[in-house]
Amino acid sequence: MSGTTGTEDGSTTGSTGRGDEGTGEPQSDGRARRRDVPTATYRLQVSADFSLDDAAAVAGYLADLGVSHAYASPLLRSASGSTHGYDTVDHAHIDESRGGQAGFDRLVAALHEHGLGLVLDLVPNHMGVADPAEAPWWWDVLQHGRDSAHAAAFDIDWEFGDGRVRIPVLGSADDVEKLELVDGELRYYDNRFPIAPGTEEGTPQEVHDRQHYELVDWRRADRDLNYRRFFAINTLAGLRAEDPEVFRATHDLVLRLVEDGAVDGLRIDHPDGLADPKGYLDRLAEASGGRWTVVEKILEPGEDLPESWATAGTTGYDALAEVDDVLVDPAGEAALTALDTELSGRPVDYAELVRACKREVTDGILGSEVARLVRVIGELGGAGIAAVDTGTQEEALAELLASFPVYRTYLPDGREHLDATVAAVRERRPDLTAALDALHPVLSQAGTEAATRFEQTSGPVMAKGVEDSAYYRWARFVALNEVGGDPARFGVTVDEFHEAQRRRVERKPESMTALTTHDTKRSEDVRARLAVLAELPTEWAQLVRELLDRHPLGDPPMAHLVWQNLVGAWPLSRERAHGYAEKAAREAGTSTTWTDVDEEFEARLHALVDAAFDDARTNAAIERFVARIAPSGRSNSLSQKLLQLTMPGVPDVYQGTELWDLSLVDPDNRRPVDYALRRRLLAQLEAGEVPTVDETGAAKLLVVSRTLRARREHPEWFAGYEPVTATGSAAGHVVAYDRGSGEQGGAVTVATRLPVGLAGAGGWGDTALPLPNGSWQDLLTGGRYVSDAAGLPLAPVLERLPVALLVRN
């Protein structure tokens, strides 16, 4: 790609076009054609504001960047106003607000023109039902009840609730008096509901009483619902994808797009919600011809995907944690723990915090799912179950769910987690021994409704209890509070990182890797900057104490969390800062909640945020500290990115993150991307000048584009994995590995870690990499270096950038 120039639309002058599909052979300009397994993907969040035509317009830019596939968010028809597409209402159509089928066809044509393929995000577990009139299947079920042709598609307990679907939409029980009959429908304000044939006569309340659904107070959602939801979202109703007819109907369009060559790979959302993930993936692989498929499965540290699953791997949260952790300085743990203890008023037992948060979930927002599990088990009968009263059964189940160490089992896979959890709860709660003895064999029987529902419930309990609660309550070091990570594990050694990569090569070499997603709590560059705090824990603690003295908050850990995120994302707009702080506090649920807002506390919280902008002393302190850590944060960002792009797997670049992206949790991470700027910067890089590591982010764009192109054009350079262990005084500050296989070797990744400590020690000094003798070239800077008997000195290699990607010259 050297010497090519970017055109106005982001395409590359001299491109030969699409070429033959699927061969994997390079075109005349070195660009690989579409292939079965992507070399790299680029995630696009398609919405009404960034349509399919907008996505088509950046196809040339994506090709120039170096990816092989665009990776689109869900595109099937979704709820009106949806910004994400995970609330599909009709699986038979491409969403019209995003551009419809015609827009989709134009996107595919544009991708193919530039030799790119398409990976599509698919949502098999649930359907959007916020507006029943938009969801034909749901409308039909509400109108005809168990006689509906689609009744079996939804996971509804018809025996509970007098055979009526309970819909938690009323402001209070008395609001049933506010129902109206309009145009042959029941209306509650703007909410529309169907009327069953022959039930139209009488008052709105009388008509309501004859329906196959019951509109209830929204507060009853925690205990009295009789349909499975996605997590605790009442407007997302669970689908029974295990039913072959439901699978066929919900996948027909997508599978036709696969067969027609429009879709080359699939990303499966939330497989943990499915009754039978293995069966689902087997059916999908058969129907799709074995297309490359990854699953949004969150693995706990040390956990592996079941080997029997027909999938290339996960969407990359496990890789994210591995990369983040190796760049964190374990030496900072003691000081940051001491600060957290000081602010919390006691040492925080994270494991107990997680268990307590998960119990709040089982006893609160997911109480309906737990209650249904109790009903299922009670229906089984048997002497053991019958001997335990329902309340004790529910308490035992809640304790098991709250103590489960992974998201779920897939019996018989993962049986050891169930056994260990039963033993742990029995030890902690001997009063539940009889219930546990009765439940254990029931929950161990693979494929039974009781065991399956327990599996489908443990995942949401983990997600809501940990990701959306504990992560917001424990503010010791929020760089580690990330989906798929373990905040209690304060960094890993370089050797541990290498071992994880060896396992990747052996087990799932085509799994996706990621650093930022639409679900991450903060972007990769925010985490990279915050990682610097582990190298400067004393300075950070001093600043935090000063800020808390000037701007006290009744919830010091929450204040600490907010200050960390403000520093991590600085500079950011006041609006973004307020939005984050409010969401974080309500998710934590310690001083205010979504359903019970403490206005006095939130006013103080917003005043704290305002102080960062309006209090001159505070603003100056933040500016000084950010200036202190930002250069090291950028070094970490470049190291993070190079590691992720070159480690075993298929790397994904989340939209916009090829430049610095200091985003916080959604919706902050779904802001518009300036592609015109990225095109200009990429075109400038083609002139061959190596950018400085500055605020423009051009250095990151250089790393991303040069590395992605190398992966696309020379896959043989990235076929294996061999650690390269540095020698010398600063050996602990480098992560290096050779991605080649056998004697031939391949691309050698070199990434700086712990940059503050490196600078404090005086730089690289005599540090060298023991590479084979001869000439080496850095694909990033173009620099050429010689390795001899003493190795390859790192000081000249990393003089301009903190990272390098070396190949034999």
Side-chain angles (χ1 to χ4, degrees), residues 165 179 192-193 233 264 285 363 427 455 549-550 794 799:
V165 182
L179 297 179
R192 301 167 55 194
F193 301 95
I233 302 176
D264 304 277
D363 299 349
E427 181 176 351
E455 292 177 316
D549 283 345
R550 290 202 293 273
L794 277 183
E799 182 179 7

Side-chain angles (χ1 to χ4, degrees), residues 438-721:
L439 290 170
H440 194 185
V442 171
L443 300 179
S444 303
Q445 296 178 39
T448 63
E449 183 179 6
T452 297
R453 288 204 180 281
F454 183 84
E455 292 177 316
Q456 288 177 294
T457 305
S458 64
V461 170
M462 174 75 91
K464 297 304 295 182
V466 178
E467 299 169 34
D468 294 340
S469 188
Y471 279 3
Y472 288 96
R473 293 186 186 184
W474 199 34
R476 180 181 69 162
F477 182 48
V478 300
L480 297 178
N481 295 20
E482 193 51 80
V483 182
D486 179 4
R489 184 179 65 178
F490 206 100
V492 299
T493 66
V494 175
D495 286 343
E496 288 172 322
F497 175 84
H498 287 319
E499 181 57 32
Q501 304 322 305
R502 287 194 187 98
R503 288 178 61 79
R504 282 187 175 279
V505 168
E506 294 169 0
R507 295 180 62 86
K508 293 292 183 183
E510 296 174 352
S511 182
M512 183 178 277
T513 69
L515 283 183
T516 301
T517 77
H518 61 283
D519 279 334
T520 41
K521 300 303 180 184
R522 49 198 63 81
S523 71
E524 58 203 62
D525 294 324
V526 171
R527 299 196 309 275
R529 182 188 287 182
L530 290 176
V532 182
L533 302 185
E535 294 198 77
L536 300 170
T538 303
E539 289 183 39
W540 173 246
Q542 181 178 349
L543 175 60
V544 170
R545 292 186 185 102
E546 293 174 1
L547 293 174
L548 289 175
D549 283 345
R550 290 202 293 273
H551 314 290
L553 189 71
D555 188 342
M558 176 52 58
H560 188 204
L561 181 142
V562 170
W563 288 123
Q564 285 180 78
N565 283 280
L566 290 183
V567 165
W570 198 267
L572 74 168
S573 70
R574 188 188 302 259
E575 179 183 13
R576 290 175 58 207
H578 280 293
Y580 175 79
E582 183 175 283
K583 177 170 182 172
R586 292 180 182 181
E587 292 282 25
T590 50
S591 298
T592 187
T593 69
W594 292 106
T595 57
D596 187 14
V597 173
D598 186 323
E599 294 183 358
E600 183 178 347
F601 172 81
E602 292 196 3
R604 293 195 299 272
L605 178 68
H606 286 297
L608 179 151
V609 172
D610 280 330
F613 297 89
D614 300 333
D615 184 288
R617 184 179 172 190
T618 296
N619 182 267
I622 292 174
E623 292 280 1
R624 282 194 303 272
F625 193 81
V626 169
R628 167 89 163 97
I629 66 173
S632 295
R634 289 171 185 154
S635 175
N636 283 340
S637 286
L638 296 181
S639 292
Q640 253 186 354
K641 203 63 195 173
L642 185 63
L643 292 176
Q644 182 244 335
L645 294 180
T646 61
M647 69 196 296
V650 176
D652 175 59
V653 177
Y654 183 75
Q655 60 176 34
T657 59
E658 62 270 33
L659 296 184
W660 307 135
D661 180 75
L662 299 174
S663 294
L664 299 172
V665 72
D666 67 284
D668 195 57
N669 60 14
R670 296 175 188 168
R671 288 172 293 138
V673 176
D674 186 345
Y675 284 107
L677 169 64
R678 285 158 176 78
R679 286 189 183 101
R680 289 197 301 272
L681 289 175
L682 188 58
Q684 292 169 13
L685 293 177
E686 299 305 330
E689 181 178 347
V690 178
T692 59
V693 184
D694 59 18
E695 67 279 357
T696 68
K700 190 178 184 186
L701 184 61
L702 177 76
V703 170
V704 171
S705 60
R706 296 299 185 267
T707 305
L708 292 180
R709 293 174 186 180
R711 291 202 66 144
R712 186 176 65 190
E713 296 160 15
H714 294 282
E716 73 277 6
W717 289 350
F718 300 89
Y721 190 89

Side-chain angles (χ1 to χ4, degrees), residues 277-471:
K278 179 185 182 303
Y280 170 83
L281 290 169
D282 285 343
R283 186 176 290 116
L284 183 66
E286 181 178 3
S288 68
R291 292 304 177 104
W292 183 79
T293 299
V294 291
V295 292
E296 189 220 14
K297 166 61 188 166
I298 298 168
L299 298 168
E300 290 298 285
E303 182 186 8
D304 290 316
L305 278 178
E307 292 187 11
S308 60
W309 281 17
T311 178
T314 73
T315 54
Y317 287 110
D318 41 336
L320 180 157
E322 292 161 9
V323 173
D324 279 4
D325 288 352
V326 78
L327 300 180
V328 168
D329 188 357
E333 180 173 15
L336 289 175
T337 300
L339 175 62
D340 181 67
T341 299
E342 174 187 329
L343 299 180
S344 301
R346 55 177 174 73
V348 174
D349 182 335
Y350 180 67
E352 177 55 28
L353 171 63
V354 166
R355 193 198 68 80
C357 288
K358 291 169 73 175
R359 268 312 299 261
E360 289 182 19
V361 171
T362 62
D363 299 349
I365 58 176
L366 286 176
S368 287
E369 281 68 21
V370 177
R372 184 172 182 183
L373 182 56
V374 172
R375 294 196 299 273
V376 169
I377 292 173
E379 292 168 0
L380 295 175
I385 294 295
V388 181
D389 66 85
T390 301
T392 304
Q393 285 182 37
E394 184 165 350
E395 176 68 13
L397 284 167
E399 279 293 303
L400 290 173
L401 291 166
S403 305
F404 223 67
V406 294
Y407 277 72
R408 65 168 278 180
T409 59
Y410 310 91
L411 294 175
D413 291 310
R415 167 68 187 268
E416 68 276 9
H417 297 302
L418 176 63
D419 295 346
T421 303
V422 169
V425 174
R426 182 183 286 114
E427 181 176 351
R428 189 177 67 251
R429 293 288 304 274
D431 58 310
L432 298 176
T433 297
L436 293 168
D437 289 344
L439 290 170
H440 194 185
V442 171
L443 300 179
S444 303
Q445 296 178 39
T448 63
E449 183 179 6
T452 297
R453 288 204 180 281
F454 183 84
E455 292 177 316
Q456 288 177 294
T457 305
S458 64
V461 170
M462 174 75 91
K464 297 304 295 182
V466 178
E467 299 169 34
D468 294 340
S469 188
Y471 279 3

Side-chain angles (χ1 to χ4, degrees), residues 769-787:
L769 290 179
L771 296 180
N773 290 356
S775 178
W776 292 80
Q777 181 177 13
D778 180 8
L779 297 179
L780 306 180
T781 65
R784 288 177 168 82
Y785 311 95
V786 176
S787 179

